[in-house]
């Protein structure tokens, strides 16, 4: 019986491969990280990311298959990220998946990376009760969506400019805290006072986000201030970012009666965000769903789980790059 | 039994050639059934259909590692690597200078200088003579070519900068091969390399880049 999907994810700087059952059981999930490679550039350098994917992808596939203890004959399909993402990185995953599919005689399906994130909360166990509001906060994306079911997705609002993760990275760089900025900015913020009144762009305008104004305000403050207290700047930035995220979540929960709020993406690792989202959900009487962090950052298990949705819905986009996919797209 | 898939993706349209028992049974550049704008997987799929062959029957895959279009090379290499891996068969890497070199050598029976465009006035330059690469270098076009051809009374040029190089040496015999890009079929004209250079996973092909230290190493 064929009961596994092999997921392949190479949209940005991590090469990830996983084997997942129809019920969301993760048989293996292997990630070859390029964080060290890109740390020297203070961000992801696309050409080097593509090269690193070529070097990492076959060993990662081999390990994922071995750890899952399966053979190609056990595969129902291969699901591979087709976008959004960096073209040079996506192409490596897509071409590799196509070669495997041809050699193994297994169908290959191109999967929307965003649908992977939206499904990540149900990996290993069913956690989400629908309908749900989902907040995706990462280096690549910041948006709110409404989900009636795993397949029925509606975008409520996304960022007009930077993602919140980018804002973290840029502020981390301005404060000389290193890359990636998220964890270190959060840690530094805990040591300071949020005593600088940074702006909250678009706070009361619908469910869309904007972070570039906040980022520029931090830059202006640092330019204009002699001996700024790094901890206080970080604390004030984090408070403003959280204010924006939580205010939009509250609005969404007020507008849409749902059973759960799901927070996914790399920034879901923020202790400040986790704590404040918990308080909001208690107050609103909805269940907060915070999947384990390993499923929140880019991984291939979420792509594999989303691929099962594609099979159930009879959707099979070709494994070719699609850079402009929206949340509702397949 | 021998069924070899030769892939060249350094330039579009991609070249995909299927060789059964030493005979070309499919060539994407001359086959009417192929939409040449397609991605490599689609063309390879069409190759098997047109030739009435199964991927499982492949005994070897050959691929051009570049230099050439960075992402198209990477696409072809990733595809060749994973197809070879999935079938547990060897994958052979050629480079652009070998493919252009053997074609030029057969034309003029003299050393062949091939060039591939790069950025900031730099070029990839390779010298092919007597069936193999004699030198390769990445750097400013004129300086590299001057150095590489210093002891060559006669040579042929192939690749991107043929005209520029001919103009550099008014007094010497410089033949123009007329070849701008390598062809997948040229891999068959290098039978020794095709026979001996195969890598089996966990070894696999890496694209040639400006930081490859260079092409002989692997
Ligand atoms: Zn992502």
């Amino acid at each position: 019986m064929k009961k596994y999907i092999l997921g392949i994810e190479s949209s940005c700087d991590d090469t990830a491969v996983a084997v997942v059952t129809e019920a969301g059981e993760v048989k293996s999930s292997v990630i070859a990280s390029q964080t060290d490679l890109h740390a020297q550039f203070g961000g992801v350098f696309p050409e080097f990311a593509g090269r690193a994917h070529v070097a990492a992808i076959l060993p990662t596939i081999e390990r994922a298959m071995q750890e899952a203890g399966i053979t190609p004959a056990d595969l129902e399909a291969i699901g591979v990220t087709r976008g959004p993402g960096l073209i040079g990185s996506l192409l490596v995953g897509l071409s590799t998946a196509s070669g495997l599919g041809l050699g193994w005689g297994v169908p290959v399906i191109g999967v929307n990376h965003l649908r992977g994130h939206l499904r990540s909360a149900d990996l290993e166990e069913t956690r989400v009760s629908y309908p749900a509001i989902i907040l995706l906060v990462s280096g690549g994306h910041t948006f709110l969506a409404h989900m009636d079911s795993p397949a029925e997705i509606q975008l409520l609002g996304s960022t007009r400019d930077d993602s919140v993760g980018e804002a973290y990275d840029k502020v981390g760089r301005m404060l000389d805290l290193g890359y990636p900025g998220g964890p270190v900015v959060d840690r530094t913020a805990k040591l300071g006072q949020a005593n600088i009144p940074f702006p909250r762009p678009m706070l009361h305008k619908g469910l869309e986000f904007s972070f570039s104004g906040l980022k520029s305000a931090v830059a202006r403050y640092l330019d204009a201030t002699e001996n700024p207290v790094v901890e206080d700047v970080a604390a004030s930035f984090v408070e403003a970012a959280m204010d924006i995220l939580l205010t939009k979540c509250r609005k969404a929960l007020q507008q849409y009666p749902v059973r759960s709020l799901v927070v996914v993406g790399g920034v879901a690792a923020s202790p400040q965000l986790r704590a404040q989202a918990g308080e909001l959900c208690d107050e609103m009487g909805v269940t907060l769903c915070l999947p384990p962090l390993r499923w929140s950052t880019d991984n291939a298990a979420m792509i594999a789980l989303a691929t099962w949705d594609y099979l159930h819905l009879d959707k099979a986009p070709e494994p070719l790059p699609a850079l402009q996919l929206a949340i509702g797209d397949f | 039994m021998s069924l070899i898939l030769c892939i060249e993706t350094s330039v579009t349209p991609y070249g995909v050639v299927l060789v059964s028992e030493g005979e070309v049974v499919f060539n994407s550049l001359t086959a009417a059934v192929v939409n040449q704008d397609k991605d490599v997987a689609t063309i390879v799929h069409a190759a098997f259909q047109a030739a009435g062959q199964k991927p499982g029957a492949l005994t070897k895959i050959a691929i051009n590692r570049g230099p050439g279009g960075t992402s198209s090379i990477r696409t072809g290499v990733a595809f060749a690597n994973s197809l070879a891996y999935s079938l547990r068969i060897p994958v052979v890497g050629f480079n652009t200078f070998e493919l252009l070199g053997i074609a030029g050598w057969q034309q003029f029976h003299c050393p062949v200088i091939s060039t591939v465009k790069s950025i900031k006035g730099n070029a990839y330059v390779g010298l092919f003579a007597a069936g193999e690469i004699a030198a390769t270098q990445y750097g400013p076009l004129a300086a590299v070519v001057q150095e590489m051809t210093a002891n060559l009374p006669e040579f042929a040029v192939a690749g991107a900068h043929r005209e520029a190089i001919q103009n550099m040496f008014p007094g010497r015999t410089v033949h123009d091969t007329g070849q701008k890009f390598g062809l997948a079929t040229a891999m068959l004209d290098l039978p020794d390399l095709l026979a001996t250079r195969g890598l089996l996973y966990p070894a696999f092909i890496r694209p040639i880049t400006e930081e490859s230290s260079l092409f002989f190493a692997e």
Side-chain angles (χ1 to χ4, degrees), chain B residues 44-87:
Chain B
V44 168
H45 201 82
F48 283 107
Q49 285 217 311
Q53 297 277 1
K54 293 255 184 296
L58 278 180
T59 52
K60 190 174 276 187
I61 299 170
I63 177 78
N64 182 10
R65 303 168 56 207
T70 318
S71 80
S72 64
I73 288 279
R74 202 147 54 211
T75 301
V77 167
F79 178 84
N81 277 339
S82 73
L83 182 57
Y85 165 81
S86 70
L87 298 170

Side-chain angles (χ1 to χ4, degrees), chain B residues 35-138:
Chain B
N35 178 346
Q36 299 196 334
D37 297 334
K38 286 289 185 183
D39 61 289
V40 65
T42 304
I43 299 174
V44 168
H45 201 82
F48 283 107
Q49 285 217 311
Q53 297 277 1
K54 293 255 184 296
L58 278 180
T59 52
K60 190 174 276 187
I61 299 170
I63 177 78
N64 182 10
R65 303 168 56 207
T70 318
S71 80
S72 64
I73 288 279
R74 202 147 54 211
T75 301
V77 167
F79 178 84
N81 277 339
S82 73
L83 182 57
Y85 165 81
S86 70
L87 298 170
R88 304 279 165 186
I89 58 172
V91 55
V92 178
F94 287 98
N95 64 58
T96 301
F97 307 124
E98 289 167 341
L99 303 184
L100 284 170
I102 186 64
W105 181 266
Q106 287 174 342
Q107 247 179 306
F108 294 105
H109 303 282
C110 69
V112 182
I113 288 279
S114 307
T115 52
V116 175
K117 270 187 192 155
S118 184
I119 49 170
K120 296 176 187 159
N122 290 320
Y124 299 87
V125 186
L127 172 63
F128 181 97
E132 58 181 18
I133 295 293
T136 55
Q137 213 174 313
Y138 177 81

Side-chain angles (χ1 to χ4, degrees), chain A residues 46-48 50-51 54-63 65 88-89 91-92 95-100 102-104 318-320, chain B residues 38-42 44-45 48 55 70-71 74-79 81-83 85-88 201 204-207 209-211:
Chain A
E47 171 59 21
F48 291 158
R51 291 179 192 180
V54 175
I57 199 155
L58 283 185
T60 309
I61 289 165
E62 171 95 345
R63 241 186 86 196
M65 292 293 285
S89 292
L91 279 170
V92 176
S95 309
T96 302
S98 299
L100 286 185
L102 185 67
W104 286 344
E318 282 187 86
L320 297 173
Chain B
K38 286 289 185 183
D39 61 289
V40 65
T42 304
V44 168
H45 201 82
F48 283 107
T70 318
S71 80
R74 202 147 54 211
T75 301
V77 167
F79 178 84
N81 277 339
S82 73
L83 182 57
Y85 165 81
S86 70
L87 298 170
R88 304 279 165 186
Y201 185 84
F204 51 85
I205 305 293
R206 305 287 189 91
T209 66
E210 77 288 347
E211 62 183 6

